[in-house]
Amino acid sequence: MLNSIDRITWRNGYRLNGDPATLEDIEPIFEGRRVAALSIWEQYEQSKEALRGLILTPEQYQEACRQIAEALGV
């Protein structure tokens, strides 16, 4: 999981927290962010799958999905 917030920008080259950086410097940060996002998405999809086993109206299912998304910060 990510332990710090790194600000990556592009202005005539990559910058990491305002300092010039190489692609090799920022690739691990991007990869960590991608893994974290996929993990949250997988949790969301697994929770939705569990809801499908319940007998819910479409409105109840939609509300439950919204609650899951809010809880995960999606």
Side-chain angles (χ1 to χ4, degrees):
M1 205 71 200
L2 301 174
N3 294 329
S4 66
I5 303 297
D6 292 309
R7 184 171 177 224
I8 300 170
T9 56
W10 171 267
R11 184 173 182 177
N12 297 328
Y14 289 110
R15 293 185 137 345
L16 178 60
N17 297 324
D19 297 324
T22 65
L23 184 59
E24 292 78 25
D25 294 334
I26 62 169
E27 278 182 334
I29 297 168
F30 277 128
E31 182 61 23
R33 290 177 181 175
R34 188 184 71 78
V35 168
L38 287 176
S39 174
I40 291 170
W41 185 255
E42 288 171 0
Q43 289 177 34
Y44 176 70
E45 289 297 324
Q46 288 172 358
S47 297
K48 280 180 29 181
E49 188 63 36
L51 288 176
R52 290 186 185 111
L54 304 174
I55 300 172
L56 300 173
T57 66
E59 293 80 17
Q60 290 172 325
Y61 178 76
Q62 185 176 18
E63 181 59 29
C65 288
R66 283 189 180 130
Q67 290 174 357
I68 293 168
E70 285 178 22
L72 292 172
V74 176

